[in-house]
Amino acid sequence: MTKFENSYIEQNKIIDKQNKNFKNMTLKAIDLFAGIGGIRLGFSEAFKDNIEFVFSSEIDKYAQQTYYANFGEVPHGDITKIDEKNIPPHDIILAGFPCQAFSIAGKRLGFEDTRGTLFFDVARIATYHKPKIIFLENVKGFVNHDKGNTFKVVKQTLEDLGYKVFSQVLNAKDFGVPQNRERIYIVALLDNIKFEFPKNLENCDSIQSKLEKKVDEKYYYNNKPLYEKIKDDIVDKTSIYQWRRKYVRENKSGVCPTLTANMGTGGHNVPIIKDDKGIRKLTPRECANFQGFPSSFKFANLSDGQLYKQCGNSVVVAVIKEIAESINNSIQGR
């Protein structure tokens, strides 16, 4: 047997031992930049009884209310003001962190280059606690932000901390949810665990499957000033449209266009459909449906503007669940 073969066998023994340490364990997790808890929900569905959340953080007071309605806890506030030593020990960090500008001019790539950004808070917590798993989500443009340097800094920082980093851009419509929503997902594993992102699903739900049967009149444009501008362009009951202030755009791909955080700032940002009663915008609950949230998910008693914002800021739960299941299968050695 060659030296290389001996080394390979020993390495696999180490991997197997590390994987066994995870089997049937209840892993402790923290939820950073938690929003309304979409990432937490996806991991909870995938890990079932083998995950326990010991800490959460979210700065938006309205998102905190919806989070509390579903998980029975009010997230801590501004993570930049929370000492990592005061965060409970944990095995998993979940973080849909906002993308801020990274400045790397005249600096080496790595941990120091993340200062002044919210990813720095993920890095400092990981440095202190050394969780086995870090899961990050961001907009697709994060990959090419600052000519790719931002992503390079994040990846290098995680690798410097000892993590093996996997990343991939996935689209919600490829995972059964009828929304065109591309996001970058980053999985960092501390131990040498084999991991692969989930494969695309063959079937996608229809737009109609996400619509409510009874909708309040306030969501309809009938007899409102905008109706005359859009009535001749919105004709197909099987499609979704957008009012772009000056014109109507039809999304012809058979899925909902990307939901955005600014949906709460005006009707032109909320996708529009035609049904038997007329022309209307999607309701907040329908937006949650297009994000893959279950019907059991509760919203706090807030304005529609806040609910639209919360949906647009959130994640597609079904995609998170698929990735989390792949992570769980990897650490369980399946």
Side-chain angles (χ1 to χ4, degrees):
M1 189 174 293
T2 66
K3 183 177 180 181
F4 172 80
E5 287 172 329
N6 274 323
S7 176
Y8 181 80
I9 291 171
E10 289 304 314
Q11 183 182 31
N12 277 301
K13 286 180 179 178
I14 293 172
I15 293 173
D16 289 341
K17 184 178 179 181
Q18 291 167 339
N19 287 346
K20 287 176 183 177
N21 291 337
F22 279 114
K23 289 183 179 180
N24 302 317
M25 280 180 58
T26 297
L27 302 180
K28 299 182 184 300
I30 66 171
D31 194 11
L32 308 181
F33 315 104
I36 58 176
I39 295 179
R40 172 174 179 162
L41 189 58
F43 268 77
S44 294
E45 290 181 357
F47 279 74
K48 302 186 185 307
D49 295 331
N50 291 331
I51 192 167
E52 176 189 358
F53 283 83
V54 296
F55 179 87
S56 60
S57 173
E58 169 55 47
I59 197 170
D60 185 287
K61 65 179 182 180
Y62 299 110
Q64 286 180 340
Q65 293 177 42
T66 295
Y67 196 97
Y68 174 76
N70 290 277
F71 304 108
E73 65 182 80
V74 178
H76 294 265
D78 189 350
I79 193 62
T80 66
K81 295 179 171 58
I82 298 173
D83 193 309
E84 58 270 21
K85 298 181 183 64
N86 295 329
I87 296 174
H90 51 272
D91 306 293
I92 305 174
I93 290 179
L94 307 179
F97 70 100
C99 174
Q100 295 172 303
F102 282 59
S103 175
I104 64 168
K107 297 182 180 179
R108 65 177 180 83
L109 296 177
F111 184 82
E112 291 301 318
D113 297 321
T114 68
R115 291 189 181 278
T117 74
L118 292 174
F119 175 72
F120 171 78
D121 297 285
V122 177
R124 68 178 173 83
I125 293 168
T127 301
Y128 182 80
H129 287 281
K130 286 296 177 69
K132 303 294 186 183
I133 302 161
I134 299 176
F135 175 83
L136 308 175
E137 181 266 358
N138 216 303
V139 295
K140 178 186 177 182
F142 179 77
V143 181
N144 298 316
H145 184 265
D146 190 22
K147 300 179 180 180
N149 286 322
T150 300
F151 177 76
K152 190 175 181 180
V153 169
V154 168
K155 185 173 184 291
Q156 185 66 57
T157 300
L158 293 171
E159 289 176 344
D160 287 347
L161 292 175
Y163 291 89
K164 187 173 182 179
V165 180
F166 306 83
S167 64
Q168 193 164 324
V169 174
L170 300 176
N171 196 324
K173 67 183 180 64
D174 296 323
F175 290 87
V177 180
Q179 182 190 168
N180 182 40
R181 190 182 190 87
E182 292 182 291
R183 291 293 184 266
I184 176 72
Y185 299 96
I186 301 171
V187 175
L189 302 173
L190 189 61
D191 295 325
N192 191 17
I193 298 171
K194 298 176 183 178
F195 173 77
E196 289 185 2
F197 279 93
K199 305 298 183 185
N200 294 355
L201 303 180
E202 292 184 2
N203 300 315
C204 182
D205 292 342
S206 67
I207 290 171
Q208 284 66 35
S209 69
K210 303 302 178 185
L211 303 179
E212 294 186 280
K213 293 181 179 179
K214 294 183 179 180
V215 176
D216 193 289
E217 291 292 335
K218 69 179 180 178
Y219 296 107
Y220 284 86
Y221 292 112
N222 306 344
N223 303 317
K224 294 179 181 179
L226 181 60
Y227 181 77
E228 291 300 318
K229 295 181 180 180
I230 64 177
K231 64 182 179 63
D232 294 330
D233 295 307
I234 298 179
V235 295
D236 188 348
K237 293 181 180 179
T238 66
S239 191
I240 290 190
Y241 299 78
Q242 285 178 299
W243 168 241
R244 308 300 292 176
R245 294 187 181 273
K246 294 184 179 181
Y247 65 93
V248 170
R249 182 174 71 186
E250 181 182 1
N251 192 36
K252 296 182 179 181
S253 61
V255 297
C256 181
T258 304
L259 302 180
T260 64
N262 63 6
M263 289 191 298
T265 63
H268 65 281
N269 292 315
V270 184
I272 300 171
I273 65 164
K274 183 176 183 177
D275 63 19
D276 292 337
K277 291 176 61 178
I279 295 172
R280 66 174 177 85
K281 59 185 175 181
L282 296 182
T283 68
R285 172 56 63 179
E286 288 171 334
C287 289
N289 294 343
F290 279 107
Q291 289 282 51
F293 281 82
S295 58
S296 59
F297 188 82
K298 309 179 193 71
F299 281 114
N301 186 21
L302 300 166
S303 69
D304 279 353
Q306 284 296 331
L307 300 184
Y308 281 126
K309 178 182 176 182
Q310 290 179 5
C311 287
N313 264 335
S314 194
V315 298
V316 179
V317 176
V319 180
I320 302 296
K321 180 183 177 182
E322 289 291 329
I323 300 171
E325 285 181 346
S326 292
I327 294 172
N328 195 24
N329 287 338
S330 294
I331 64 179
Q332 298 295 340
R334 293 196 288 262

